[in-house]
Amino acid sequence: MRNKNIYIELIPVMFSFFVMGFVDLVGIATNYVKADFELSDTVANIFPSMVFFWFLIFSVPTGMLMNKIGRRKTVLLSLIFTACALILPWIDYTFSTMLISFSLLGIGNAIMQVSLNPLLSNIVNSDKLASSVTFGQFVKAIASFLAPLIAGWAALKLGDWLYLFPVFLIIAIIAVVMLAVTPIQEKDMEGKSSTFKECFALLKNKLILLSFIGIMCHVGVDVGFNLTAPKLLIERLGIDLAGAGIATSVYFLFRTIGSLAGAFILAQWKQKTFFLISTCTMIIAVAGLFIFKSLIPIYICTALIGLGNSNVFSILFSQAILHLPNKKNEVSGLMIMGLFGGTVFPLMMGIASDAMNSQTGALIILCAGIFYLFLLSLRKE
C-alpha cells in the first residue's frame, strides 16, 4: 500500500518540478525582449537578474515559512505566483510589465525551489534522495528544453513568440489542482520557526558554505550560458534569433539527458567521482567555445556543458541537507538562496561582453564559475 501511495504523491510533485522549469524561459525570452525593445546586453540582462534577485530575498524566509504552514502548502503558494507571472505578458506586453512578470516568476520559483525538494524528501528514502532530486531536475529540464522550441515555433507559425505564456499557464493551473487534492504526510518538521540569525549561522559550517557558493556558480553558468549561446551564434555565424534559439534547446536537451542518466548513475556511483567528471566535461567544452567558429563544434560544446552541468545542483543540494538532517528547511532555504548566482553572473557577463564588444567577455565570466566547481569537485571528503 505504501508503494502505491508513493506514486500517488510523486506524480503531482514531479508535475511541480516541470513547472519549476518554466523559470528557464527567461533565457530565450530575454533575447526576444532585447530584440523587440532594442536593448543593449547590459540592459537586457536585467531581466534574468530580476528573476534570480528574488532568490536572495525570499529563500531563507521561505524556509522559515515552511515550518509554520508546511511544505505542500508552500509549494502551492509558489505555483500561484508562477501562474500570475505567466498571465501578465499576454495581457500587456511592455518593458514594465515584463519586469513585473519576471519578478513574479522569480518569487514563485524561489519559493518553489526551497519547498519542493524538502517535500520530495518526505516521499523517498534518504539514500535515494540525490537520484530522486536528479530525476526531478530531469523533469524540470524537459520544460526548459521545450520553452525555446515553443517560442520559436510560435514566432514563425503564429507570428508572436508570446504564445509561449498561455501554454505554460494552462500547465501551471493543472499543477495547482493536482497538488491541492493530494495529501502528503510531512516529516522532519521541528515544530518551530528558526530565526534569520539561526539560518545564516549555518553558513559557518564549511560544507554548507562551499555548497552554497557552488550552487551560485552552477546557476550562474546555467542561466549565463542559456543567455549567451544564441548570442554567440548570432555574433559568429550571423544566424537570426529564431534559428539561434536552437542552441538553447540543444543545451537543455543534453541537460535533460544528463539529468535522466544521473538519476541512475548517482544511485550506483560515488557522488564525488561523478561530480569530478561533470566539471571536467564543462572545462573542456567552454575551452572549445573560445576556439570554434562553426556551427557543429559550437553545438557539441553546448551539449557538453549541458551534460556537465546537469547534476551539479542535485549533488550539492542533497549533500547539504543530508549533512544537517534536522535543519532541512533552513538548509534548503540557504542553498536556494545560492540561485542568486543567476542574477550576479548575467549582470557581469552583460558588462563584460559590452566592454569587449564580444561574447568572449561573457565566456570569461562563465569560466570563473566552472573553475570554482572544478576545485570543489577536487575537495576531499
Side-chain angles (χ1 to χ4, degrees):
M1 180 64 70
R2 176 56 187 161
N3 288 337
K4 183 179 180 181
N5 289 340
I6 286 176
Y7 290 111
I8 292 173
E9 295 169 354
L10 272 177
I11 290 172
V13 168
M14 288 302 161
F15 213 87
S16 298
F17 268 105
F18 187 84
V19 176
M20 185 192 290
F22 292 179
V23 73
D24 290 320
L25 68 82
V26 302
I28 192 63
T30 296
N31 282 288
Y32 278 105
V33 170
K34 178 189 175 185
D36 290 344
F37 296 106
E38 299 180 348
L39 308 175
S40 68
D41 276 344
T42 301
V43 175
N45 284 12
I46 290 174
F47 285 96
S49 296
M50 284 300 296
V51 172
F52 290 95
F53 168 76
W54 300 105
F55 285 87
L56 180 66
I57 305 299
F58 280 91
S59 295
V60 171
T62 298
M64 297 161 64
L65 177 66
M66 281 193 293
N67 284 330
K68 291 187 176 182
I69 69 172
R71 294 162 184 168
R72 187 177 69 93
K73 290 181 180 179
T74 307
V75 174
L76 280 170
L77 179 63
S78 72
L79 291 170
I80 292 170
F81 269 104
T82 302
C84 291
L86 296 169
I87 292 173
L88 279 179
W90 191 243
I91 295 175
D92 183 30
Y93 181 48
T94 65
F95 185 90
S96 299
T97 54
M98 290 305 293
L99 282 176
I100 296 171
S101 173
F102 278 35
S103 293
L104 288 174
L105 187 63
I107 292 169
N109 207 262
I111 297 172
M112 194 183 309
Q113 295 262 15
V114 174
S115 55
L116 191 54
N117 288 301
L119 183 62
L120 178 62
S121 74
N122 288 143
I123 301 173
V124 301
N125 294 327
S126 60
D127 60 336
K128 300 296 182 183
L129 183 58
S131 60
S132 297
V133 170
T134 296
F135 186 76
Q137 293 297 308
F138 159 69
V139 175
K140 172 181 178 287
I142 295 174
S144 305
F145 164 67
L146 289 176
L149 292 181
I150 295 173
W153 174 83
L156 293 173
K157 300 296 184 181
L158 303 178
D160 196 339
W161 71 275
L162 288 170
Y163 281 101
L164 168 69
F165 289 93
V167 171
F168 276 1
L169 173 62
I170 293 170
I171 298 173
I173 292 172
I174 294 172
V176 170
V177 174
M178 289 179 66
L179 189 60
V181 300
T182 305
I184 298 175
Q185 183 180 0
E186 300 184 24
K187 303 168 290 186
D188 304 320
M189 301 290 284
E190 289 195 333
K192 70 180 185 68
S193 180
S194 299
T195 64
F196 276 94
K197 183 178 180 180
E198 289 172 335
C199 288
F200 284 105
L202 297 178
L203 290 174
K204 294 179 181 178
N205 184 293
K206 187 175 181 180
L207 185 142
I208 299 298
L209 177 60
L210 293 175
S211 298
F212 170 78
I213 298 172
I215 286 177
M216 281 194 70
C217 291
H218 155 72
V219 178
V221 171
D222 192 54
V223 177
F225 190 72
N226 188 0
L227 286 167
T228 302
K231 296 176 185 177
L232 202 61
L233 290 179
I234 293 170
E235 177 180 283
R236 294 185 180 178
L237 303 176
I239 300 174
D240 63 21
L241 181 54
I246 294 175
T248 304
S249 291
V250 170
Y251 172 78
F252 284 118
L253 171 62
F254 281 87
R255 202 184 76 172
T256 303
I257 293 170
S259 295
L260 179 60
F264 298 100
I265 295 172
L266 283 169
Q268 304 295 328
W269 287 23
K270 288 185 177 181
Q271 290 186 19
K272 179 178 174 58
T273 302
F274 193 44
F275 188 20
L276 178 59
I277 293 172
S278 297
T279 57
C280 288
T281 300
M282 286 192 285
I283 287 175
I284 293 170
V286 77
L289 289 175
F290 282 98
I291 301 170
F292 300 126
K293 299 185 185 299
S294 54
L295 186 64
I296 299 303
I298 291 176
Y299 275 167
I300 291 173
C301 292
T302 297
L304 289 175
I305 292 178
L307 282 174
N309 208 29
S310 58
N311 297 286
V312 172
F313 175 84
S314 303
I315 293 170
L316 296 177
F317 182 90
S318 61
Q319 76 175 11
I321 64 172
L322 292 176
H323 184 63
L324 297 175
N326 294 325
K327 293 287 185 179
K328 284 184 178 178
N329 290 350
E330 293 83 353
V331 172
S332 178
L334 284 174
M335 292 302 104
I336 301 306
M337 189 173 72
L339 271 67
F340 179 64
T343 290
V344 176
F345 274 69
L347 284 176
M348 293 192 300
M349 290 167 68
I351 293 170
S353 58
D354 279 342
M356 297 183 67
N357 197 28
S358 169
Q359 294 305 313
T360 299
L363 291 177
I364 292 171
I365 303 298
L366 281 179
C367 283
I370 292 173
F371 186 65
Y372 174 84
L373 292 173
F374 172 69
L375 293 178
L376 189 59
S377 70
L378 296 175
R379 180 176 177 268
K380 293 182 180 180
E381 299 289 346

